[in-house]
Each structure stands twice: as C-alpha cells, then as structure tokens.
Amino acid sequence: MEFDKELTKKLDEASSIVFFTGAGISAESGIPTFRGDEGLWKKVKPQELANFDAFLRNQDMVWEWYQYRRNIMNNTKPNAGHKTIVEFEKYFDVTVITQNVDNLHRRAKSKTIFELHGNIERNFCIECKTFYNHNEFGSAKRTPKCKKCGGMVRPDVVWFGENLPQDIFNKAEQKAKECDICFVVGTSAVIFPAANIPITAKQYGAYLVEINVEQTDITSSVDYSIKGKSGEVLPKILDIIKDK
Ligand code: BJW
Ligand code: ZN
C-alpha cells in the first residue's frame, strides 16, 4: 500500500493524534454499521427505535433491539483497527473520540477514550438516574424496572434529539483543537454535533485523514482520503512509523 508523502511528513512532525471513529471500525469485528446496504437501519427505522418517544411508546421492542445488539457486541472482539490505535500510543499522545457504543476501544485498552454517544453496556433509570451495568439485567427480555424506585431502565446511549454528554463533548472538542493529525475512521460523518469534531480539528490546523471503504460527506473536506478497510489501512500506516 503506497501512501502520500505528505502523510509521512505529518507523522514525523506530529505529537498529538486524534482518532475519530464510527461504526465502520467495528465492521471487521462483525458488528453491523448503521447506514449502507448491510446497515442496521436497512432493517429497522431509526425514528422507530433510536429516540426517547419511541422508547416510551414501545419500551419492550426498543429494549429487545438493544439486547439483540448487546448480544452481538458481547460476542465480538476488537479487531486490527482498534488494536493498532493502541499501538500508536507508543509513539504519540493518542485520543480516541468515538461515536460507537460497542465498548471495543475500551476492550482493546485504548488509554484515552471519549464516548460521544454513550455505551451500550450501561443502563440508567429514567426517573432517579441510577446507573446499572448491563450484567445486572442479564438476558431480560422486557424493559427492566429500577431496583430503587421502580422507574423504567433504558440503555445509556444518545438518541436523536438528545444532548450529547456535555463534559465529554467539550473535552473531545478541546483535544480536536490541539491535535496535529485527526484520522476520521469508518464513519459516514453525517450525525451532528459529533461530525463537527473533525471539522474543528481541521479549522484549528490539524491534518485531516479519512479512512473509509466509501466516499462520505466529509471526503471533499479532508486533506487526504484513503480508501480501504480500517483493519488493513491502520496497520500499514503504523508501519511507516515503525520503519523510521
Ligand atoms: C468502513 C468499514 C471498514 C464500513 N473500514 N470504513 C445539525 C446540527 C446539529 C444537530 C443536527 C443537525 N441536523 C440534525 C441534527 C439532529 C441529529 C442529526 O445529526 N441528524 C442527522 C440525520 C442530520 N442529531 C442529534 O439528534 C444529536 N443530538 C443533538 O443534536 O442534540 C441537540 C438537540 C437537542 C434537542 C433537539 C434537537 C437537537 C444526537 C445524535 C445521536 C445519534 N445516535 C446514534 C444512535 C446511538 C445509539 C445506538 O447505537 O442505537 O448514534 S445514531 C447512529 O449514527 C449512532 C452512530 O454513532 C451515529 C453515526 O453513525 P456512523 O458511526 O457514522 O455509522 P454509519 O453506519 O453511518 O457509517 C459507517 C461508515 O463506515 C460508512 O461510511 C462505511 O462506508 C464505513 N465502513 N466498513 C472502514 N471495514
Ligand atoms: Zn430509579
């Protein structure tokens, strides 16, 4: 795989790198993406499931959908893409800013991770906000009730129309402003405000590199677009550094 010389130069000069990741980085672990031909939302409409009103109307159906996805995620492992990002820590100050809720960056043991859209392994009570680990409800088929107040328990993910965790978003945005290179990996970059992260990075001077199997909404704005699977491209980029 041949890369642009500019990338080598930027890697030479860089000290801080942000990886902004989406569902595509986990595709090679066997987790379906949202959009695209094989995407989750070809089968289920997001407006029916990924918003709070849908949950109130159809609690058990929404709960069951998340249990189904947890089951897939629990039976997968971090792939070469997640693992290579951890290896970058030997050479750079690395921050992972992810839209994914699948926990795979944590399981790969990345040090600094900002989860913009929550984490599917956590739940919380919509009344008293008590948090529960997924294991507390095991294979519950119906929406569980809070053990403290009897309120409905929901997954700790960010649905459409909901605010992102402000503190996490602010810290992620700060890292985006400070980084030298921002890799945009496996995301269609259409969901806001998350998709502002790479745009901010570029506005503040970062070299913006996209790694994706397809063109996306952000392709025309990046400095360098690499077409390919993240689990194959990222190890090759790491080789540039190792060969130095
Ligand atoms: C590979 C690969 C391989 C495959 N290698 N690549 C303008 C400004 C601000 C907000 C808005 C706005 N316009 C509209 C909004 C509202 C809305 C929004 O953005 N809507 C869009 C449709 C435009 N945003 C919100 O509602 C957000 N909140 C908000 O704005 O709060 C303020 C507010 C409050 C009150 C009222 C109104 C506003 C919240 C958004 C939350 C998104 N949540 C989800 C679901 C999480 C829970 C769950 O998992 O069920 O997050 S949606 C879904 O999309 C999920 C993802 O994190 C997110 C992004 O998807 P991602 O990761 O990009 O996946 P895909 O499938 O789209 O792409 C995969 C890519 O991988 C593809 O490009 C493939 O080619 C590639 N690929 N294999 C490399 N091997
Ligand atoms: Zn409660």
Side-chain angles (χ1 to χ4, degrees):
M1 204 177 282
E2 279 284 312
F3 294 110
D4 210 295
K5 292 268 183 301
E6 181 78 356
L7 175 62
T8 310
K9 182 168 166 280
K10 294 289 179 186
L11 286 166
D12 269 350
E13 295 165 356
S15 59
S16 165
I17 297 188
V18 161
F19 290 91
F20 175 70
T21 66
I25 195 170
S26 299
E28 288 156 83
S29 293
I31 300 178
T33 59
F34 291 93
R35 298 162 192 91
D37 288 346
E38 297 299 315
L40 271 174
W41 289 346
K42 273 274 178 269
K43 292 163 196 124
V44 199
K45 290 199 185 89
Q47 58 272 29
E48 274 174 23
L49 291 171
N51 72 72
F52 187 65
D53 288 342
F55 179 64
L56 290 181
R57 274 198 313 271
N58 262 319
Q59 305 152 33
D60 289 340
M61 188 172 93
V62 173
W63 178 261
E64 203 182 325
W65 192 59
Y66 280 93
Q67 288 290 69
Y68 162 76
R69 288 176 51 208
R70 279 182 185 119
N71 212 9
I72 297 177
M73 290 171 188
N74 284 341
N75 287 306
T76 57
K77 292 195 191 107
N79 63 52
H82 302 98
K83 290 180 193 166
T84 304
I85 290 176
V86 180
E87 275 206 65
F88 269 79
E89 291 176 5
K90 290 183 192 155
Y91 308 93
F92 305 97
D93 169 19
V94 173
T95 302
V96 177
I97 303 176
T98 189
Q99 300 165 88
N100 297 346
V101 299
D102 61 24
N103 222 20
L104 288 183
H105 286 297
R106 271 179 208 280
R107 284 168 56 197
K109 299 206 173 4
S110 273
K111 274 208 203 93
T112 309
I113 310 166
F114 296 116
E115 293 170 324
L116 300 182
H117 292 159
N119 187 308
I120 203 166
E121 295 211 346
R122 284 189 312 261
N123 297 291
F124 70 94
C125 166
I126 64 170
E127 304 293 343
C128 73
K129 313 290 182 240
T130 298
F131 278 84
Y132 293 95
N133 186 284
H134 163 57
N135 296 334
E136 297 230 23
F137 301 112
S139 55
K141 293 248 179 331
R142 298 174 146 232
T143 313
K145 298 276 180 285
C146 174
K147 293 176 186 173
K148 284 196 185 150
C149 79
M152 276 193 294
V153 171
R154 60 164 278 184
D156 185 20
V157 298
V158 180
W159 284 326
F160 286 107
E162 294 184 326
N163 288 318
L164 276 61
Q166 197 60 49
D167 186 41
I168 291 174
F169 187 80
N170 290 347
K171 286 181 182 154
E173 194 177 44
Q174 190 55 37
K175 281 290 185 183
K177 288 178 180 173
E178 291 165 5
C179 73
D180 303 306
I181 304 178
C182 175
F183 287 101
V184 186
V185 188
T187 174
S188 56
V190 292
I191 298 302
F192 287 87
N196 278 329
I197 290 288
I199 294 166
T200 301
K202 185 166 167 146
Q203 275 169 353
Y204 278 74
Y207 180 63
L208 200 55
V209 184
E210 177 177 50
I211 302 169
N212 200 304
V213 291
E214 305 279 353
Q215 294 220 333
T216 69
D217 280 24
I218 209 171
T219 306
S220 59
S221 310
V222 301
D223 295 300
Y224 184 27
S225 169
I226 303 171
K227 197 166 182 189
K229 293 185 175 180
S230 44
E232 292 170 7
V233 175
L234 282 166
K236 295 278 188 300
I237 295 178
L238 188 68
D239 284 344
I240 303 177
I241 303 152
K242 283 182 172 167
D243 291 347
K244 288 266 153 208

